[in-house]
C-alpha cells in the first residue's frame, strides 16, 4: 500500500433548494423532503495515514470542537472495518458553522471517503452511507456525490441531474439552533408530500436510477398534471398531493421548467428560524429587494438568492453587491452548483 497522504481534499457545501416537513417518526425525528445541490464553496482537509491506530486532528482555520464529526467518523470507520491503521486530520475550515450549509457533515463525509482510500478498505458507497447516517442526516448525501431528492431523515436519496445555477449566499454572524427550530410551535407539518415530477415540472427519464430531464419545455407546454404518479422512487410510501396548484405554484402563469427547478416549494423551517435568529429576516429582505428572490437553506442561518438572466452572466455585479451592501461581520459568496462531488470516484456504486 503506497498511498500515505491525501492533500487538499475538498468538503463542499450544499443548499436546500426547498425543505418540506412531511411527518414525524415515533422516535421524534422529523420526516423531510428536500432537494440538495452541491456548491463550489468548500472546506479543505489533509489526511495522513498513521501506524498504531491513533487518530488525531489539527485545526488550520476556524477551531473546531474537541470531538468533532471528522474524528467521530474516523473512529466509526476504524471500528467497523477492524483496520489497524490510524490517521492525522488537518482541517482548513472555511464554511461557516450554524449556517445550514452542511459544513460539518461534509467534512465527515470527506473524511470517510479519504480514509476509505488511505486505509485500502475499498468499501462501496452504500456501505459508507449506512455508516454515515448516525453521524448526521446530511452525511449520506455528501457520500452519494450528486444533487438528490432527499427523503426520510436524510437517508433516502434519489439522484437528480439538474442545470448548473448561480447563487448568492449570505450568512449573518448569528446562527440558529437546529434543535430549537425543530421544536418551535411555528414549525408546521405538511399533510401531504410532493413528488419528483412536480419539482421538475417537465418530462424526465430514469436511467440507471438517476432521474434526468429530457429537456426544457417551451412555456406553452410547461403545464403539468401533478397528479400523474410515474416515478416510484419519488414516493417512499408517503402520501401524494394531487392538487396541482399546491404542488406547482405558479404553473398557471406559464412558468418554464428551469424556473420550476430554481424556485419550487419553500423552506418549512424558515419561520421558526427567523423567530430564533432575527437577522435571518434582515438577510432575506435584503436579497429579496436586490435580486427578487430569497430563501433560507437547511435550518439556517444562511440564506440565498438565485441569480438568473443577466445576473447569471454578471457574477461580478453580485460580488460588488456583497462588498458594498453586506453588513459588517456577515459572510457572503457567489456560488455555482456542481453536478458531482469532487470525490465521487473515491467510492464505488
Amino acid at each position: 500500500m503506497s498511498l500515505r497522504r491525501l492533500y487538499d481534499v475538498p468538503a463542499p457545501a450544499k443548499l436546500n433548494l426547498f425543505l418540506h416537513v412531511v411527518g414525524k417518526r415515533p422516535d421524534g425525528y422529523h420526516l423531510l423532503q428536500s432537494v440538495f445541490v452541491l456548491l463550489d464553496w468548500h472546506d479543505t482537509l489533509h489526511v495522513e495515514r498513521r501506524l498504531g491506530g491513533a487518530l488525531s486532528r489539527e485545526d488550520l482555520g476556524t477551531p473546531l470542537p474537541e470531538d468533532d464529526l471528522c474524528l467521530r467518523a474516523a473512529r466509526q470507520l476504524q471500528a467497523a472495518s477492524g483496520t489497524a491503521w490510524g490517521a492525522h486530520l488537518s482541517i482548513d475550515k472555511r464554511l461557516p458553522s450554524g449556517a445550514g450549509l452542511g459544513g460539518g457533515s461534509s467534512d465527515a463525509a470527506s473524511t470517510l471517503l479519504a480514509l476509505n482510500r488511505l486505509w485500502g478498505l475499498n468499501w462501496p458507497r452504500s456501505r459508507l452511507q449506512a455508516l454515515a447516517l448516525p453521524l448526521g442526516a446530511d452525511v449520506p448525501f455528501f457520500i452519494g456525490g450528486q444533487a438528490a431528492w432527499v427523503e426520510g431523515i436524510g437517508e433516502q436519496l434519489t439522484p437528480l441531474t439538474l442545470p448548473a445555477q448561480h447563487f448568492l449566499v449570505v450568512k449573518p454572524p448569528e446562527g440558529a439552533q437546529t434543535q430549537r427550530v425543530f421544536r418551535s410551535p411555528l414549525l408546521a407539518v405538511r399533510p401531504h408530500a410532493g413528488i419528483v415530477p412536480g419539482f421538475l415540472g417537465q418530462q424526465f427519464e430514469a436511467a440507471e436510477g438517476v432521474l434526468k430531464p429530457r429537456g426544457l419545455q417551451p412555456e406553452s407546454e410547461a403545464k403539468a398534471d401533478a397528479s400523474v404518479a410515474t416515478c416510484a422512487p419519488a414516493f417512499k410510501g408517503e402520501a401524494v398531493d394531487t392538487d396541482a396548484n399546491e404542488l406547482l405554484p405558479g404553473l398557471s402563469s406559464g412558468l418554464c421548467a428551469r424556473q420550476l427547478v430554481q424556485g419550487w416549494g419553500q423552506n418549512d423551517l424558515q419561520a421558526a428560524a427567523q423567530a430564533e435568529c432575527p437577522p435571518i429576516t434582515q438577510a432575506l429582505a435584503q436579497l429579496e429587494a436586490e435580486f427578487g428572490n430569497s430563501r433560507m437553506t437547511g435550518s439556517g442561518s444562511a440564506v440565498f438568492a438565485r441569480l438568473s438572466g443577466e445576473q447569471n452572466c454578471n457574477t461580478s455585479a453580485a460580488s460588488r453587491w456583497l462588498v458594498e451592501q453586506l453588513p459588517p461581520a456577515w459572510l457572503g459568496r457567489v456560488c455555482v452548483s456542481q453536478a458531482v462531488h469532487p470525490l465521487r470516484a473515491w467510492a464505488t456504486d
Side-chain angles (χ1 to χ4, degrees), residues 197-198 200-204 214-226 248 250-260:
L200 293 177
Q202 61 190 66
Q203 296 296 313
F204 62 91
R214 286 177 177 157
L216 297 178
Q217 297 171 305
E219 290 191 6
S220 62
E221 299 177 8
K223 281 192 176 181
D225 179 5
L248 304 176
L251 261 183
S252 59
S253 301
L255 292 180
C256 70
R258 185 179 297 275
Q259 289 170 305
L260 289 172

Side-chain angles (χ1 to χ4, degrees), residues 118-153:
L118 282 180
W119 290 345
L121 303 178
N122 299 315
W123 279 21
R125 195 177 320 280
S126 58
R127 194 173 181 186
L128 289 173
Q129 287 176 317
L131 186 72
L133 184 60
L135 295 168
D138 293 345
V139 186
F141 160 73
F142 288 107
I143 291 175
Q146 70 178 97
W149 176 280
V150 181
E151 295 187 284
I153 60 170

Side-chain angles (χ1 to χ4, degrees), residues 100-278:
L101 295 170
S105 295
S106 185
D107 294 344
S110 289
T111 296
L112 291 173
L113 290 164
L115 293 178
N116 191 42
R117 292 193 73 194
L118 282 180
W119 290 345
L121 303 178
N122 299 315
W123 279 21
R125 195 177 320 280
S126 58
R127 194 173 181 186
L128 289 173
Q129 287 176 317
L131 186 72
L133 184 60
L135 295 168
D138 293 345
V139 186
F141 160 73
F142 288 107
I143 291 175
Q146 70 178 97
W149 176 280
V150 181
E151 295 187 284
I153 60 170
E155 82 285 10
Q156 299 173 14
L157 304 173
T158 301
L160 296 174
T161 299
L162 300 177
Q165 300 171 78
H166 288 72
F167 300 94
L168 192 150
V169 183
V170 169
K171 164 70 169 65
E174 297 85 351
Q177 295 185 23
T178 300
Q179 289 185 348
R180 292 181 64 172
V181 169
F182 274 100
R183 292 171 181 166
S184 170
L186 295 175
L187 176 66
V189 178
R190 290 171 175 254
H192 303 292
I195 58 173
V196 171
F199 169 72
L200 293 177
Q202 61 190 66
Q203 296 296 313
F204 62 91
E205 59 186 0
E208 298 179 356
V210 179
L211 296 173
K212 298 181 179 181
R214 286 177 177 157
L216 297 178
Q217 297 171 305
E219 290 191 6
S220 62
E221 299 177 8
K223 281 192 176 181
D225 179 5
S227 65
V228 178
T230 57
C231 180
F235 304 116
K236 309 293 185 185
E238 298 294 339
V240 177
D241 192 334
T242 57
D243 184 344
N245 291 325
E246 183 175 344
L247 274 176
L248 304 176
L251 261 183
S252 59
S253 301
L255 292 180
C256 70
R258 185 179 297 275
Q259 289 170 305
L260 289 172
V261 169
Q262 290 178 332
W264 189 85
Q266 66 183 44
N267 187 332
D268 288 344
L269 306 181
Q270 189 166 298
Q274 287 177 257
E276 169 72 18
C277 180

